[in-house]
Amino acid sequence: MATLDPILGWFSFLLISVVVLIAPWLFGAWEAWWFWPFVVCIFAAAFLSALRLVTGGHMRSVAGPTRTRIVFLLGAVCLPFIIYASVRFLQAEVFMDAERSFLLFLTPMMLAGMIIIGFTRSQNELLYGLVIADLFLLGCYGLLNHHLTGSAKVMWVTSDFVQYAGRATGSYFCPDHFSGIMELLFCLGLGLVLKGRNRSTAGQNLLTDLASRLLAAPLLMVAVAGVAISQSRGGGITIVVCVLAALVLAIGHLPAWLRWTLRIGAILALVGAISVFWQSDNSYAKRFRTYFAWEEIQERPREEAAQVIGDRLKTTARYNMYSAAYRAWETEPWYGVGPGMHQHLWYHLAASPDGDRETGQWPSRPNASRRSYEVHSDWLQLLEEYGVVGLLLFLLMSVTVFTVLLVAVVKSRFHYAAVGAALAAVAIAFHSLGDFNMQIPATVWMFVAILAISIAGQVRSS
């Protein structure tokens, strides 16, 4: 059994690595034909992990009684949500869409569990390095592909999404989702720059420490360039939010004078950069100004300008989707309309509620020419499909995981991964307010792997 366990462990590592590293290259595993092979890999890795548990291998030797409590705490907050989600899945009216929705919650939890209690520290360090390299290569591909083809091709496929002309999509079909994966790279780059030190690394070679920080420079440049050429408004705002979060969360170990100098200097630099960007004439800045009707409100009174902006936002696709999702949620507020049901209720609730069949009053926003498969807000879609109960259970799980990450940052455990993971959580949580990155399987698996590697640093000692 002693010789079998390492073999099972490395096969499990290989399968999980294939999922985390390869899925983003296959269109984010978004298409049905690419989603299922990776799900099979996750379940195969779970089977091998179960064998390791049965045979008494490495997975049964979680380090230290104090740190074992972290595993039980995470299990205690994750289990209620996944049980609730499974019940709602079994009650769903459209089985296949509900199944996919449920698996987008189940498979990341399985993946995280195997990483946290199944991988050795060296395996986690290896996977973390591979994740950084993979994200960097994804960014380089996105930049090169946009330069050569204008992102008209996505890998070997010619894209049909002409509405994204001029915007980089990388290996995804949507530039906003390419931006989402680049935000993870940005967070990991910041983690390398802002990492603290713990006892095990206090005497490390200064040249090695400096080299790891210098490594962050190309990562950050590629990440920012990727977000910029994707022209994702949410991505650009998320980058700013991540910088602000880093100033709050990740520099507490520095002397007070240096900490506040960095904070004030960074905020002033951000304000200056945003001002220059807003006044610039590039297409990315124009996307922001057009969205908020900036040219139309320049010489209008404040109240009238607010009315113009409000009217402009009501014509956007996102407002229409949010409005429909909210009205769908109102029909089943506690338990939701069911997993994967947003797209099926769209045509029933897509039109604005100001129409009247009896009088022949046509809705001001019919929304009959477009189909909404996702709400374009992960949080709102969670509320719509799983209700208040599901949202509260998910928030309990999310807040607990983020708290564990913050403890890792403060105590500098697994220091090079903790800061990046905490910032990645901020990025995903914030951007998910206005997009559906968490509906993209590859992004979910990559994100959860980053979180799990950091948490594993607190749980395992070997």
Side-chain angles (χ1 to χ4, degrees):
M1 293 302 179
T3 57
L4 178 62
D5 183 72
I7 297 173
L8 294 176
W10 280 106
F11 269 110
S12 178
F13 176 86
L14 177 62
L15 288 168
I16 290 174
S17 297
V18 166
V19 171
V20 173
L21 303 174
I22 304 300
W25 293 95
L26 295 176
F27 319 107
W30 175 250
E31 297 296 330
W33 293 109
W34 295 112
F35 175 67
W36 292 106
F38 291 111
V39 170
V40 170
C41 286
I42 293 174
F43 275 89
F47 174 74
L48 296 179
S49 298
L51 283 181
R52 298 178 70 193
L53 284 170
V54 170
T55 57
H58 185 70
M59 290 191 70
R60 295 186 63 178
S61 59
V62 176
T66 302
R67 296 185 186 182
T68 303
R69 287 203 289 267
I70 298 174
V71 177
F72 288 112
L73 172 64
L74 293 174
V77 296
C78 292
L79 194 59
F81 175 80
I82 206 64
I83 291 174
Y84 173 79
S86 65
V87 171
R88 296 298 291 130
F89 156 57
L90 294 173
Q91 296 172 337
E93 298 177 50
V94 182
F95 179 82
M96 289 187 66
D97 293 319
E99 180 184 41
R100 183 181 181 279
S101 174
F102 175 62
L103 286 174
L104 282 176
F105 291 112
L106 177 64
T107 53
M109 291 186 187
M110 294 171 62
L111 187 149
M114 288 183 281
I115 291 175
I116 291 171
I117 66 172
F119 287 6
T120 64
R121 190 176 186 87
S122 61
Q123 286 174 327
N124 278 317
E125 291 175 348
L126 174 58
L127 182 58
Y128 195 75
L130 291 173
V131 164
I132 291 177
D134 196 48
L135 288 170
F136 179 73
L137 291 174
L138 285 164
C140 290
Y141 165 76
L143 296 173
L144 182 62
N145 181 56
H146 193 65
H147 175 71
L148 295 177
T149 74
S151 293
K153 291 188 73 69
V154 179
M155 302 302 289
W156 61 88
V157 178
T158 300
S159 175
D160 294 326
F161 297 102
V162 294
Q163 68 268 35
Y164 299 137
R167 303 175 61 192
T169 63
S171 59
Y172 292 74
F173 284 105
C174 174
D176 295 318
H177 298 140
F178 173 56
S179 173
I181 206 82
M182 288 298 95
E183 291 155 30
L184 296 182
L185 177 61
F186 182 77
C187 292
L188 299 192
L190 280 182
L192 288 175
V193 172
L194 301 173
K195 65 181 183 179
R197 293 187 178 187
N198 57 20
R199 293 177 183 176
S200 64
T201 62
Q204 68 180 353
N205 188 289
L206 290 179
L207 291 178
T208 302
D209 191 40
L210 177 61
S212 67
R213 284 179 163 86
L214 290 175
L215 172 65
L219 304 182
L220 293 172
M221 287 189 291
V222 167
V224 172
V227 173
I229 65 171
S230 76
Q231 298 185 27
S232 169
R233 289 181 292 257
I237 298 172
T238 301
I239 291 295
V240 174
V241 169
C242 287
V243 172
L244 296 175
L247 295 175
V248 175
L249 303 176
I251 60 176
H253 62 286
L254 298 176
W257 68 269
L258 180 56
R259 185 165 65 243
W260 286 105
T261 298
L262 286 174
R263 286 172 177 168
I264 294 172
I267 289 173
L268 291 175
L270 271 177
V271 171
I274 292 171
S275 299
V276 171
F277 171 76
W278 192 264
Q279 299 298 326
S280 66
D281 200 37
N282 65 66
S283 56
Y284 193 15
K286 287 179 180 177
R287 273 177 54 80
F288 276 98
R289 293 197 298 268
T290 302
Y291 195 76
F292 295 103
W294 182 252
E295 277 73 20
E296 299 178 38
I297 65 174
Q298 289 299 291
E299 299 179 359
R300 295 175 184 261
R302 181 178 301 177
E303 293 78 9
E304 189 177 342
Q307 182 65 41
V308 170
I309 293 174
D311 292 341
R312 169 69 182 86
L313 293 178
K314 287 180 181 179
T315 65
T316 63
R318 275 178 169 76
Y319 179 89
N320 292 325
M321 287 185 285
Y322 297 166
S323 175
Y326 179 78
R327 284 182 279 117
W329 167 72
E330 287 184 311
T331 64
E332 295 287 346
W334 287 106
Y335 302 109
V337 297
M341 286 299 295
H342 167 77
Q343 59 181 303
H344 300 289
L345 295 175
W346 169 249
Y347 285 128
H348 297 281
L349 295 166
S352 57
D354 54 359
D356 190 331
R357 285 180 179 272
E358 294 183 1
T359 62
Q361 176 68 37
W362 197 254
S364 59
R365 302 191 311 277
N367 293 324
S369 60
R370 294 182 178 179
R371 181 174 178 82
S372 172
Y373 289 94
E374 273 76 32
V375 180
H376 286 62
S377 171
D378 286 323
W379 294 104
L380 183 54
Q381 185 160 349
L382 177 63
L383 177 65
E384 177 194 7
E385 295 185 346
Y386 289 87
V388 171
V389 174
L391 179 63
L392 290 177
L393 290 174
F394 190 84
L395 282 174
L396 173 64
M397 177 177 65
S398 301
V399 170
T400 303
V401 170
F402 189 65
T403 302
V404 172
L405 293 174
L406 288 184
V407 171
V409 172
V410 171
K411 295 185 177 181
S412 295
R413 289 180 183 155
F414 221 33
H415 61 107
Y416 60 86
V419 174
L423 294 177
V426 172
I428 287 291
F430 178 79
H431 200 167
S432 290
L433 291 170
D435 220 320
F436 60 102
N437 282 311
M438 295 303 285
Q439 299 290 324
I440 307 299
T443 302
V444 178
W445 295 327
M446 178 76 78
F447 169 61
V448 168
I450 291 169
L451 301 188
I453 290 168
S454 176
I455 293 171
Q458 299 182 70
V459 172
R460 306 206 64 87
S461 62
S462 61

